[in-house]
Every structure is written in C-alpha cells, then in structure tokens.
C-alpha cells in the first residue's frame, strides 16, 4: 500500500506500466566499443561511473510490447539508490524505481502530472528479494516476494493511453535518462546492490553496456565497507562536531587478521600526522601511533576496537566478549581538539601532505562497522576512491 504521496492528477496508467517495463542488468560506463548483455544477466549496480548515468540501457518500439509485467531479484544492504528507469516520448513521460531509507520509492511523470510514492517492506537486509512491477486497471503495483509492497493509483486517461501505443520506449538500469532536477524526491542514485534474473515485459532485445568490464556480484556478502587496497575515504573533521566537555570516540569492527594497510589517519594541513592506525597481515599486529606514543596489539585478540580522545587522554579498548582496557595513555597539551576541528580524517589510507591529500598504504579488507561519535558512518557521503564499496563486503 502507498505510504507517501505527492500531488496527483489524471494520468497515463499504461505509460507507467510500460515504463516499468524494463530493467536491464549490467554495468556501466565504457570508453571503447559497446557490449551487450541479456536482460537475465546478474549485474552490480554500484560500478564506478557518473552517478546518474545508467549501467545498461535498451530501447524498443511500443508496438512490440504485449506484456505489462516485469520481474527481477534485488539484493542490497544499501538504503538508497536508483534501480530502474523507463520513459516514452523521449523523456517527456518517465518512471523511476529506487530505494530511499531502505524502502521502495516510485516517481513518475505522465502528461505533465507528477506522482511519487514511498513505502512497503525494508529491502536493504542483504537478502535476495523478488520484485514484480505490473499495471492493473488504474494502479501500478509493486509486489515484493509475492506480497503487495506498494500501490500507486491515478485517474484514468484513456485518450493518452492510446497515444502511447506508438513511438519508442527507453529502459535503463542503475541510472536515469532525464535531468535529475525533474524528480520530486532527490536521492543518491548510486546503489551498492545487485540485480539478477530479470524478465522485462516480453522484451528479448539485448541491453547495451556502458562500461568496459562489468564488476562482479559476489555470491555471499556481509554488511560493511570493503577496501580493495587502491584508495581511501576522506572527511573534514569539522563535520563531526565535539560537544563541550566531551571527547571523540571512533569504533571499528571486523576480522583484523584478514586486513592489511592503514585503517585510520588524522592530520591537519601543514602539521605532522597526528594519528595512524595500521594493521599488518604478516605480523598479525595492529599498531596505533599517536605523536611519539605507540600502542601495539595482536590482531587475533579482538573483533572490535574503540579509540576515545579526551582533552588530555587517549584511551584504546579492544573488545572480545566484553570490554577490556588494553592500554590507557595520558597525553598532556596534545592539541588534539584543535587538530580535530581543522583537520582531515581518512579511512582506509594514510593522508599525504598538502591540500591534495594524496594518500598511500591503502587498506585491503573489510571494516564491518565504522562509527564516529556513536553513529554509523556512510562513506557515500564523502570523497572516496570509486573502488571502495560502502555497504557490503564479500563473505
């Protein structure tokens, strides 16, 4: 059932159902000759590209359409992103299906009338879900795993319905073919997720791939952020304000024995590195360096690491079944809070000197959890290397 509505008026049901026609499946942006894939292919939606650019797309004559139902499977831990787009009349009438806050979000424009609806079950649980989009009389229906997920109704407009029986239908996966400003609800389109086993109406035409090579969808995944050893994510520390009288707490969780490289680094422009947290897969050690102080620990002794900065103290806790104080260091006149308010913090690499922050010693491995000030950190909301996967890791 529809949970959220925008203004709606008489519209073109059939156009909507046609728009939900197709969802392709495959990857993204290329530079050489275009490849094609089947609509049944398994495709990773988060491949590096211009974020609004579709991964794959196809086009067919509306006269070739005899089915008003499309089905596919979706798997993601990502709460937000574009799944599928379709349009007629060269983009004058269009439809977008995506996720926002983990819930299905449908937006469309038909004959100048705009509608958006959000609701249904939470889909970003990392499980495969079967989605079916169909048109039934004056309703567009999204079924999830055999149950009604989201229903959008519009007043009939038979005259317009007849008009859309000719012309071209364009379909795209993972992006859109119109100006993003036309959408009523804005969202981050890049989704760390996979689509497979697509059946897009009765269409059998191949889908054109917009990338040189498609990235794989792993057979099994776990929630987390995956760093392949080729780059890092950088934040301005000012986006994490420190409350008066309180310190800064940063938490990491994962299998540290399987990681190698820099987990964390903090520095202010023009200053020496304030802090680094590094893991060595060869020695099986995790080392935290804070100025001249060093704390080393065996990486197989814990699954969670908590670093707390206060005005004159750095505290490091390792967590197994329960909290255990590993070491407590007292640092006087450290100037930490000044650095924090004016510096940069990098996850997955060692910050370089200067404003360009060219990094090195990048992390290889999965951080199953990153928290700052008790809140989960979403790497999609900062500058990061495109190879970093924000919401899932191969299991």
């Amino acid at each position: 059932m529809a949970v959220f509505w925008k203004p709606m008026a008489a519209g073109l049901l059939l156009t909507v159902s046609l728009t939900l026609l197709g969802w392709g499946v495959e990857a993204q942006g290329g530079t050489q000759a275009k490849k094609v894939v089947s609509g049944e292919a398994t495709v990773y939606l988060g491949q590096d590209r211009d974020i609004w650019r579709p991964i794959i797309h196809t086009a067919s004559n509306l006269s070739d359409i005899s089915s008003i139902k499309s089905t596919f499977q979706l798997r993601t831990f990502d709460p937000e992103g574009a799944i599928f787009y379709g349009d007629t009349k060269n983009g004058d009438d269009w439809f977008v299906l995506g996720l926002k806050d983990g819930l299905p979000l449908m937006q469309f424009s038909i004959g100048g009338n705009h509608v958006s609806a959000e609701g249904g079950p939470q889909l970003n649980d990392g499980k495969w879900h079967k989605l079916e989009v169909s048109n039934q009389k004056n309703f567009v229906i999204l079924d999830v795993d055999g149950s009604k997920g989201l229903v959008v109704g519009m007043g009939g407009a038979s005259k317009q319905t007849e008009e859309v029986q000719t012309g071209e239908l364009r379909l795209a996966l993972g992006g859109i073919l119109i100006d993003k400003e036309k959408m009523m609800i804005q969202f981050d389109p890049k989704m760390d997720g996979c689509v497979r086993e697509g059946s897009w109406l009765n269409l059998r035409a191949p889908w054109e791939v917009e990338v040189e090579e498609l990235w794989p969808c792993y057979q099994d995944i776990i929630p987390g952020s995956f760093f392949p050893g080729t780059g890092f994510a950088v934040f301005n520390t000012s986006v994490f304000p420190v409350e008066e009288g309180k310190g800064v707490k940063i938490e990491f969780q994962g299998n540290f024995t399987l990681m190698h490289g820099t987990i964390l680094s903090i520095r202010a422009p023009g200053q020496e590195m304030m802090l680094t947290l590094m893991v060595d897969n060869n020695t099986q050690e995790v080392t935290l360096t804070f100025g001249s102080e060093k704390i080393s620990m065996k990486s197989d002794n814990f699954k969670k690491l908590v670093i707390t900065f206060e005005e004159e103290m750095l505290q490091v806790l390792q967590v197994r079944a329960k909290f255990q104080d590993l070491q407590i260091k007292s640092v006087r006149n450290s100037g930490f809070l000044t650095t924090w308010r004016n510096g940069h913090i990098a996850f997955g690499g060692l910050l370089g000197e200067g404003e360009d922050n060219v990094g090195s010693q990048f992390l290889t491995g999965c951080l199953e959890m990153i928290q700052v000030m008790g809140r989960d950190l979403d790497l999609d909301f900062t500058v990061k290397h495109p190879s970093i996967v924000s919401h899932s890791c191969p299991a």
Side-chain angles (χ1 to χ4, degrees), residues 11-257:
L12 243 204
L13 257 294
L14 183 56
T15 306
V16 177
S17 64
L18 291 175
T19 332
L20 25 108
L21 292 184
W23 312 12
V25 237
E26 293 275 281
Q28 148 231 315
T31 55
Q32 306 288 325
K34 297 295 178 66
K35 299 179 181 179
V36 296
V37 295
S38 163
E40 298 177 349
T42 300
V43 179
Y44 176 63
L45 301 178
Q47 189 158 349
D48 180 35
R49 66 197 187 282
D50 178 283
I51 60 173
W52 288 102
R53 183 180 180 186
I55 302 288
I56 61 173
H57 58 88
T58 190
S60 295
N61 290 324
L62 286 171
S63 58
D64 295 333
I65 306 302
S66 61
S67 172
I68 56 172
K69 180 173 70 175
S70 293
T71 63
F72 68 98
Q73 292 186 21
L74 172 72
R75 182 190 68 184
T76 185
F77 283 113
D78 198 337
E80 192 165 327
I83 302 170
F84 142 76
Y85 168 90
D87 72 28
T88 61
K89 302 179 183 178
N90 199 34
D92 287 342
D93 292 345
W94 52 267
F95 172 92
V96 180
L97 174 67
L99 292 185
K100 191 171 179 63
D101 300 323
L103 302 176
L105 170 66
M106 291 198 291
Q107 302 187 70
F108 48 88
S109 177
I110 300 173
N113 301 310
H114 304 286
V115 178
S116 66
E118 179 181 0
Q122 202 83 21
L123 296 181
N124 62 325
D125 58 2
K127 299 177 181 179
W128 285 107
H129 294 281
K130 184 176 181 179
L131 276 64
E132 177 182 297
V133 186
S134 62
N135 169 238
Q136 298 180 22
K137 296 183 179 179
N138 288 344
F139 296 92
V140 179
I141 299 174
L142 172 67
D143 288 345
V144 178
D145 298 324
S147 300
K148 289 288 185 293
L150 185 61
V151 179
V152 183
M154 294 182 67
S158 58
K159 193 170 185 180
Q160 289 184 342
T161 302
E162 293 301 321
E163 292 175 357
V164 300
Q165 298 303 314
T166 61
E168 185 179 61
L169 170 72
R170 301 187 301 178
L171 307 172
L173 184 68
I176 62 177
L177 300 173
I178 55 171
D179 187 336
K180 63 184 178 67
E181 300 302 326
K182 291 185 177 181
M183 291 188 297
M184 293 76 74
I185 299 177
Q186 297 296 315
F187 63 94
D188 180 8
K190 191 173 182 180
M191 175 180 284
D192 173 16
C194 289
V195 168
R196 70 180 184 185
E197 299 181 12
S199 174
W200 319 114
L201 305 177
N202 61 301
L203 300 179
R204 294 287 179 250
W207 293 68
E208 192 171 290
V209 178
E210 288 293 319
V211 289
E212 292 185 40
E213 297 294 335
L214 296 178
W215 290 5
C217 283
Y218 295 104
Q219 181 173 351
D220 298 300
I221 58 173
I222 58 175
S225 297
F226 181 65
F227 297 80
T230 52
F232 60 179
V234 181
F235 289 82
N236 289 322
T237 51
S238 59
V239 304
F240 308 108
V242 181
E243 294 183 23
E244 188 69 30
K246 294 187 178 181
V248 175
K249 184 168 71 172
I250 304 174
E251 302 176 59
F252 298 101
Q253 184 170 304
N255 188 341
F256 294 90
T257 64

Side-chain angles (χ1 to χ4, degrees), residues 255-320:
N255 188 341
F256 294 90
T257 64
L258 301 179
M259 303 179 202
H260 186 81
T262 307
I263 298 174
L264 173 72
S265 62
I266 303 174
R267 83 184 303 163
Q271 297 184 18
E272 295 296 319
M273 190 75 69
M274 189 190 80
L275 177 142
T276 62
L277 180 66
M278 307 187 77
V279 57
D280 190 318
N281 188 251
N282 298 313
T283 64
Q284 293 288 286
E285 284 189 337
V286 176
T287 302
L288 185 145
T289 302
F290 185 72
S292 61
E293 304 284 348
K294 276 195 176 183
I295 300 175
S296 294
M297 57 208 98
K298 281 294 183 182
S299 58
D300 59 352
N301 285 343
F302 56 92
K303 291 282 290 181
K304 184 177 180 180
L305 194 65
V306 182
I307 305 169
T308 304
F309 302 92
E310 296 179 356
E311 192 65 46
E312 294 186 356
M313 183 174 69
L314 163 67
Q315 185 177 30
V316 181
L317 306 174
Q318 64 171 344
V319 182
R320 296 185 75 175

